[in-house]
Every structure is written in C-alpha cells, then in structure tokens.
Amino acid sequence: MDETVTAARRTLYAEMSPLNLTPLWEVLHALVPKEPATPCVASLWRYRELRPFLMRAGDLISAEEAVRRVLVLENPALRGQSAITQSLYAGLQLILPGEIAPSHRHTQSALRFIVEGSGAFTAVDGERTRMSPGDFIITPSWAWHDHGSEADGPVVWLDGLDIPLVRFFDAGFAEDGAQRSQEQVRPSGTSLARYGNNMAPVRTHAQKNSPFGMTSPLFSYPYERSREALYQLERDTQVDPWDGVKLRYTNPLTGGSPMPSMETFMQRLPPGFSGRPYRQTDGAVFSVVEGTGCALIESRGTMQRLDFEARDHFVLPSWHTARLESTEGCVLFSFSDRPVHQALGIHNEQRFT
C-alpha cells in the first residue's frame, strides 16, 4: 500500500477517535469470524488436587461468613473473570456438619451437582431436598434458597450458574433473606411426587405465578433414577458412536430444558468405548460421576489429552473437536449454554465419522 495513503488513514483514525468512532473495516474480521474462535481453552481440574484446598478453606472461613464457600473453577484463559466459559460459571462448594449457607436469591439461575458426601440439604421455595452424590438440583432465578448440613462429614457439590451471561446483559439482581433458613412450607419430596413420575397436577396453569418461572418445577433429579436409565439403555439399545448413552434432563411441564439458560445431560460411556469426534458451538462443563476415561480435545491444530477419574471436572470450549474414551466405563454429568444458542437460532454441531 502507498505510504501516503497509509499515513492519511492513520491521521483519519486519530482525528475521529475523540468522537468515539472507529473504522469497522479494521476489526470486521474479528467481529464476524469465519467460524467460532473462543479465547477459552480446554482444561481439567483434578479433585484429588483441589480437595485439600477446599478443606483448608473450611478451616479458615465459615459457610455463613462466606455466604457461599466456593472455589471458582476459572478457565485458564479467563483468569479474574470468575468464568469457566464466556457465558458460564462453575465452582465447587463445601458445607460442613451443622453449617448453614444463609438464604438469598438472585437473578442468575443455578444448578447443583453433588460430588461428595450425603446428609446436606438445599431448600428452594420452602421445600427441602436431600443431597446425595450424583443428584442434580436446581435453584431457579429469583427463588429463595439456602443450604444446610446434618451430615457427619463434608459435603461438596458443583455449582453451575449463568453469571457471565447475566453480567453481559447487565441484568443481575440479588437479595439476602431475613432469616438464615427459610421456613419449610411443604414436606420434602413434594415436587418429586407432583412432577417426577410422568404426571403433573391437573391445574398446572396455577403454577404460572410460581417463583420457578421458566424453570422446571421439579428441582431435584435423583441420581439413582438417572443411573438406572443409563445402564438399562446401555444393555438394551444401540450405543451412540459419539456420545455412548446420553440423556438430557427435561422440564416435565414442557419437555424443554430444565432452565432457560442451561441444558443438563447425563451420559454413560461403556467399557472399551472409543468415541468419534464432534464439535459444537455450546461450551460444556463436565463432572465425572463414576469411572475413568479421557477426553481428546483439538483446537487450531493442537491436541490435548485430559485423563479423568471420578469427581474430576473438565471444560470443553465452543467449537473444539472432542473425542471421549473409556477403558473401564464411566458416567459423566455435563451442562452447557445450549438453550440460549437454540433460542437465538445459532446452535451448530458437527459429527465426524
């Protein structure tokens, strides 16, 4: 390019900058890329390495003082942003015997996936549900919730929230409860009885004013039911070459996602499974429930091998090509921002043979 033209352009850019103007043609390739180019990277968090830090945190700060005693799983490429992908947050929360994580509510939707220990509880909208490893529990947007423990030892769960997404829209609100624990107004198991058996109350329209809003009114999905379904399908049906046996959790009233911003899945990789490669636009966070395996993840010509075991966690960023393998077999829980992609009509997935 002619040096005179180059200099003239630089002068143009410099003189219009004070008016908060910038030339689109200089940034168009980054704003409208030919394919997704996330800054996020694939990463693995080994539970046996993280657990000592959780326990040390338990010695140094109470659940009530911390409000939520959580170690955030930050994507290595997004340090300081409290994000595991550009739209999702993940962290490991610890509660010790006799503790209460006080009642509050917030705009952000949250999920809990129990990693270690039994005997703790989550209360949502006046109903408590017991926590056991592998259970998936929802705290809906703007619903009061608190946690407590009647266990003999520590209880740890994975928190998954849409914090970065809500932050992007500048739409976050929060409020602390007047009491440490909300009053129980329904016996434990009420929501499971109403919605967890392929049935629903006759006048379900009465639920439109429920604090659950667009979220599933069934806020606790026990692992024993999910596990039984996976193993039966492994025995009786054809295993998918990419996913093994993979099921998505649903809102029993709509058949859609349990939460408007996050999809949740449980899958079983049978012994000897060697999956075919795939990639998708929704970034996904995985929690290893049982067994061992590995995720082979490729991006921009670089391959990573993430060898995982029970209670480990890993992230598969957007448009990274992945293959899942397991010699002994394993069970994986995962969540992603897929419902948002689908609502906007931008979700894309490729499966390679």
Side-chain angles (χ1 to χ4, degrees), residues 51 54-55 58-59 61-64 69 93-101 116-121 130 147-157 180:
R51 190 180 188 277
L54 274 172
M55 298 305 122
D59 292 335
I61 187 168
S62 69
E64 187 166 8
R69 190 199 289 114
Q93 182 166 172
L94 167 68
I95 194 165
L96 296 172
E99 287 189 322
I100 295 291
E116 176 187 351
S118 299
F121 65 84
R130 290 281 179 173
H147 313 295
S149 178
E150 299 166 350
D152 296 328
V155 177
V156 178
W157 61 84
R180 294 170 66 229

Side-chain angles (χ1 to χ4, degrees), residues 218-289:
L218 179 62
F219 71 94
S220 180
Y221 296 73
Y223 179 52
E224 59 183 357
R225 296 189 177 195
S226 307
R227 188 181 192 276
E228 180 181 0
L230 290 175
Y231 277 80
Q232 180 174 339
L233 291 172
E234 178 188 354
R235 291 191 306 268
D236 300 340
T237 64
Q238 185 175 357
V239 173
D240 183 87
W242 292 269
D243 297 325
V245 179
K246 188 171 185 177
L247 299 174
R248 66 179 181 90
Y249 292 90
T250 63
N251 180 331
L253 293 183
T254 66
S257 169
M259 291 167 286
S261 57
M262 291 182 285
E263 190 81 87
T264 48
F265 310 89
M266 189 76 83
Q267 69 188 109
R268 163 75 175 164
L269 306 184
F273 182 79
S274 180
R276 295 178 183 174
Y278 71 95
R279 61 182 178 179
Q280 57 199 31
T281 51
D282 51 318
V285 180
F286 289 78
S287 180
V288 185
V289 192

Side-chain angles (χ1 to χ4, degrees), residues 118-140:
S118 299
F121 65 84
T122 285
V124 178
D125 189 35
E127 181 182 341
R128 286 186 177 182
T129 185
R130 290 281 179 173
M131 295 175 158
S132 297
D135 290 355
F136 160 50
I137 297 170
I138 300 171
T139 54

Side-chain angles (χ1 to χ4, degrees), residues 172-198:
F173 295 87
E175 184 178 355
D176 293 330
Q179 299 176 320
R180 294 170 66 229
S181 296
Q182 59 186 288
E183 180 183 356
Q184 293 187 67
V185 298
R186 289 185 303 278
S188 297
T190 299
S191 67
L192 188 63
R194 282 177 172 164
Y195 303 104
N197 298 289
N198 298 316

Side-chain angles (χ1 to χ4, degrees), residues 9 29 36 45 54 59 71 84 87 106 117 139 153 159 199-200 205 211-212 222 257 276 291 297 300 321:
R9 288 183 181 179
H29 64 287
W45 290 264
L54 274 172
D59 292 335
L71 298 185
I84 196 165
S87 61
H106 41 69
T139 54
D159 283 332
M199 294 185 290
H205 65 273
F212 289 82
S257 169
R276 295 178 183 174
I297 302 174
R300 302 183 186 98
T321 301

